[in-house]
Structures are given as structure tokens and as C-alpha cells.
Amino acid sequence: MALEDSKNYVDEAFTRKSDRGVSFENSFGGALSFLRRRYTKDLSGVDIAVTGVPFDQAVTNRPGTRLGPRAIREASTLQSPDAPYGWGYNPLDELSIVDYGDLAFDYANIPAFPDALTAHIRGILASGAASVALGGDHYVSFPILKAYAEKYGPISLVQFDAHTDTWADDDMSRVDHGTMFYKAVKSGIVDPATSVQIGIRTTNEDTLGVNIIDAREVHAIGPAAVAAKAREIVGDRPVYLSFDIDGLDPAFAPGTGTPVWGGLNSAQAAHIMRDLAGINIVGGDIVEVSPPFDTTGATAVAGAHVAMEIVCLLGWNRLGKG
């Protein structure tokens, strides 16, 4: 099948017969799903379930991340159907990857949201699949991590971000995008000694023992050294990768809730993620994409590429490519 065959393919989110293989559907048409994967709630034999979490209760200033999953799916259709560059394999050919759709929740009952999301991810993990979540403000990582900790025990976290999100907050019922990793560490879900936050550039005096590779260090030592340092920190423990799009500098991702200058450029992020291949990654998310603040769509494009890199990392680990 080649690009000229696009005239024969449309709406593959619903019409495709297999969960494997690329799609040559026209990028400008057809029903949207992440990378034209099939929409399904049947996870039998599925390796990776991509799911949307359209939630933005707690962004400090700019709302709009509830629209992130939709924008990331649309931007994903712009990616080449060829194997992702630099990986040497195509996860779309070698893995069963589906779009599991979005989390259903009552937008007017915020206290019920965390448990609804944990149950949603718990169901994915029970099938044997890994999840890649499209957020949503960064709070969504906390309920997701609860489900992962139930299966794997305390998780090592690799977090790309401008902020540590470990500001003190001992009220576990508060839904706050800036304190969820404080709660995750304090409740034993995340192991700080084997976790690392990359790209940090805001002041927080107490990082709870989580290792920090701040943005200045990334610029100083380069992506390869950053990835090597992160690999040493996490070792062979189960890893959850969370990528807040504001880990990138606003020049590369202006459509986010809390932009901070001096951040990573997209090339640095891509190189670091590629060089993390072989870590024991079990799941991941891309969060804080806020389309209303980026009319160009560049932030969603970056988010879609991050999601693809998480898929590649999961596939590398599952297929034993290392």
C-alpha cells in the first residue's frame, strides 16, 4: 500500500480490520483517532491503549486543557505513516495499538473524578495493555499513578516539566495540578529516590528527594548526558513517564496553562526520549496542551509527537528491542 492508495481508505478509526499496520488515509479527512488507530473498548490482545482525559479543573491561569486530547488526536494525523524517525522499527506494525476513547465523567461532580479515572486506567491494566493518556491538566497523573501502583507497587517517575508539582498539600481530597506529585510521594505511590524531573525551572525548596535535572543543566550537558543520568537514576524499576508540555519552552509550545521561558526545545526533548529506550517503562501521559492559546497548532503537534515517543518507548520495552 502506498500514498496513492489513500483514495481507498477513509474513516479507519472505525473501518480498519486490524490493530496493526499504518494508515494511508488522507490527513485532512476522515474520522479522527490517535494515529488513525481503531476505536474500541475491547482490549483483548491489545498492547497499548491510548485514552483521552479531557479535564482542566485546576490550571493556575489558562484553562482549556480539556480540549487537549481532541487537538492531539487531530495533530497526530499529520505524522508520517512511515516508521518514526530514529527508532529503527515501527510500533504500528509490530504492536496492537488502539484508541480507547475518552474517560467518561460528570464534569459537575469534581470530587468523583479521581476515582473514575483510577478505575478507567485499572481496567486497561487488567487487560494486560499499557495506557498512554492524553490530558488534561497535570492533576490527571495522580489518579493514573494510583492504578499503576496497585499493579506494580511504588513507581519510578520520569517527569518532563517546568514545575516540580511537589508543593506541600496534605489534603488528599484537593484536586490541584501543582501538588499531585507531593501527594503521590507522601502516599507511597512514587519512589522519589528513583524518580527524576527534567527541565525544571521554577523554585521549590522541598522536592521530597526527587532527583532534579533542571533546564539549565539540560542546556549545559546536552540530551545524551541527560538521558544517561536519568537511566542511571531509574535503573530497572517500573517507570511511568509524564510529559507536561510546558517542559518545552513557550517558543515551541505556547498553548499551555503555565508557560515558563528558558525551557527545552523540541529537538532536546526528542533526543532525550529516544535515548531513554530500554528503561522499564510501563505507561505514560502527555498533559497540559491548551489549544485555545496556540492558534498555530504547534503545541498539539508537539504533544502528538511526545505521545508517539511514549508509544515507541513502550514498544521497545515490550518487544525486547534493547
Side-chain angles (χ1 to χ4, degrees), residues 253 276 282 306:
L276 288 175
V282 292
V306 167

Side-chain angles (χ1 to χ4, degrees), residues 141-217:
S141 298
F142 183 37
I144 293 172
L145 283 166
K146 285 183 179 180
Y148 272 90
E150 288 174 3
K151 181 170 183 176
Y152 294 100
I155 288 285
S156 296
L157 176 70
V158 172
Q159 176 188 348
F160 291 78
D161 209 324
H163 316 88
T164 64
D165 297 324
T166 55
W167 285 279
D169 181 4
D170 291 309
D171 183 352
M172 293 294 173
S173 67
R174 288 188 71 251
V175 177
D176 191 320
H177 78 302
T179 67
M180 69 285 172
F181 291 132
Y182 175 92
K183 295 171 182 175
V185 170
K186 287 292 187 178
S187 58
I189 292 171
V190 165
D191 175 21
T194 58
S195 296
V196 57
Q197 297 172 321
I198 300 170
I200 303 302
R201 50 196 188 275
T202 50
T203 301
N204 184 0
E205 299 300 335
D206 186 4
T207 61
L208 302 181
V210 177
N211 299 277
I212 305 293
I213 304 175
D214 68 12
R216 185 182 181 93
E217 184 174 358

Side-chain angles (χ1 to χ4, degrees), residues 48-262:
I48 300 172
V50 179
T51 188
V53 188
F55 180 80
D56 66 347
Q57 161 67 11
V59 174
T60 305
N61 180 22
R62 293 167 151 187
T65 57
R66 68 182 62 185
L67 304 176
R70 182 185 301 172
I72 291 170
R73 285 188 175 102
E74 180 177 2
S76 77
T77 67
L78 300 174
Q79 294 189 27
S80 169
D82 300 312
Y85 185 78
W87 282 92
Y89 86 108
N90 194 340
L92 303 183
D93 286 333
E94 299 192 41
L95 296 167
S96 174
I97 304 169
V98 301
D99 195 319
Y100 193 59
D102 284 356
L103 169 70
F105 64 95
D106 182 351
Y107 71 91
N109 187 2
I110 299 303
F113 168 80
D115 287 345
L117 178 52
T118 300
H120 182 73
I121 300 300
R122 185 186 294 128
I124 293 173
L125 298 183
S127 75
S131 72
V132 177
L134 314 177
D137 79 44
H138 211 158
Y139 176 81
V140 305
S141 298
F142 183 37
I144 293 172
L145 283 166
K146 285 183 179 180
Y148 272 90
E150 288 174 3
K151 181 170 183 176
Y152 294 100
I155 288 285
S156 296
L157 176 70
V158 172
Q159 176 188 348
F160 291 78
D161 209 324
H163 316 88
T164 64
D165 297 324
T166 55
W167 285 279
D169 181 4
D170 291 309
D171 183 352
M172 293 294 173
S173 67
R174 288 188 71 251
V175 177
D176 191 320
H177 78 302
T179 67
M180 69 285 172
F181 291 132
Y182 175 92
K183 295 171 182 175
V185 170
K186 287 292 187 178
S187 58
I189 292 171
V190 165
D191 175 21
T194 58
S195 296
V196 57
Q197 297 172 321
I198 300 170
I200 303 302
R201 50 196 188 275
T202 50
T203 301
N204 184 0
E205 299 300 335
D206 186 4
T207 61
L208 302 181
V210 177
N211 299 277
I212 305 293
I213 304 175
D214 68 12
R216 185 182 181 93
E217 184 174 358
V218 173
H219 296 311
I221 68 176
V226 170
K229 187 172 181 178
R231 292 168 64 93
E232 184 177 355
I233 289 168
V234 301
D236 60 359
R237 299 189 73 260
V239 172
Y240 186 87
L241 192 153
S242 182
F243 198 115
D244 187 329
I245 203 65
D246 71 30
L248 300 181
D249 189 87
F252 299 87
T256 183
T258 45
V260 183
W261 77 333

